[in-house]
Amino acid sequence: MSTFIGIDSNQQNDYLEAIDSALEKGMAAKEVVCSITTGFRRVPSMRVAPGLNTYHASVADIGYGFDAVQGTISRIRKGESIDLVKEMLVFDLDILRISEKQLRPNFELAVKRANPDAFYLIEQSRHLHRQIFEAIKEAIRLGQALLGPEWETIRANIEEIQAIPRL
């Protein structure tokens, strides 16, 4: 049985699998970025850089976002009856988009005064950030294809919820 009206269960599973696969690629890049960001604390010119803590938090947010989307997909695949399942999927994917938008400015602030010995790691991080961005963008594109015009309606409805700060 399909959770999404107008889409048979095989097609639904194909979309969910494709979203999951896109996120797996982003998660791999995020794991490497996480290791590099930990290493940034050992670089004297970056150790107390403005933005480093918020950059670490942005990387963590993306990791939590990947986990949230995959958790929602897992629950759908198991056939769990979930109220507002479409809203959960859109919310999770859109929060991931928002988290990714915070990554770049926080990163650039953190690496602004880095010494040349860290430039290689900085460039590697930028490359990995692009991979993360592409994975998120692809997952959202697939979510939009799965939900069709409903995507934008749902996203508009959850926008107010996204403004509620986390405790």
Side-chain angles (χ1 to χ4, degrees):
M1 168 150 174
S2 177
T3 302
F4 303 94
I5 298 170
I7 294 182
D8 68 45
S9 60
N10 288 334
Q11 193 176 17
Q12 171 187 296
N13 288 334
D14 290 345
Y15 274 111
L16 294 175
E17 179 61 35
I19 292 169
D20 203 28
S21 293
L23 294 179
E24 284 292 330
K25 292 175 190 166
M27 286 177 71
K30 193 243 28 132
E31 288 301 317
V32 178
V33 164
C34 192
S35 294
I36 292 172
T37 62
T38 300
F40 283 168
R41 291 207 182 275
R42 295 177 187 249
V43 177
S45 62
M46 296 172 62
R47 186 173 294 130
V48 292
L52 188 58
N53 288 336
T54 51
Y55 173 57
H56 279 279
S58 297
V59 172
D61 278 349
I62 288 172
Y64 298 139
F66 284 143
D67 291 344
V69 175
Q70 288 186 313
T72 298
I73 287 172
S74 176
R75 293 174 71 186
I76 293 168
R77 284 182 173 155
K78 289 178 183 171
E80 196 173 319
S81 177
I82 309 168
D83 291 337
L84 306 172
V85 68
K86 294 177 190 178
E87 288 79 0
M88 282 178 61
L89 186 61
V90 173
F91 181 81
D92 291 343
L93 286 168
D94 203 49
I95 288 292
L96 200 49
R97 177 189 62 81
I98 292 166
S99 293
E100 187 280 327
K101 285 192 177 300
Q102 296 170 354
L103 187 68
R104 196 165 295 121
N106 290 333
F107 174 77
E108 294 303 329
L109 188 59
V111 301
K112 190 175 187 176
R113 295 187 191 107
N115 290 333
D117 60 342
F119 287 174
Y120 176 76
L121 291 176
I122 291 167
E123 284 310 308
Q124 287 302 309
S125 294
R126 285 188 178 115
H127 173 71
L128 293 162
H129 292 169
R130 284 190 293 277
Q131 289 181 2
I132 292 167
F133 170 73
E134 290 301 323
I136 292 169
K137 190 169 95 174
E138 177 65 5
I140 289 171
R141 186 193 67 73
L142 290 161
Q144 289 170 330
L146 174 62
L147 291 167
E150 259 188 300
W151 172 276
E152 205 43 53
T153 303
I154 293 169
R155 202 199 59 71
N157 288 338
I158 65 167
E159 207 167 39
E160 298 296 319
I161 297 168
Q162 290 173 334
I164 298 170
R166 285 182 247 176
L167 300 177

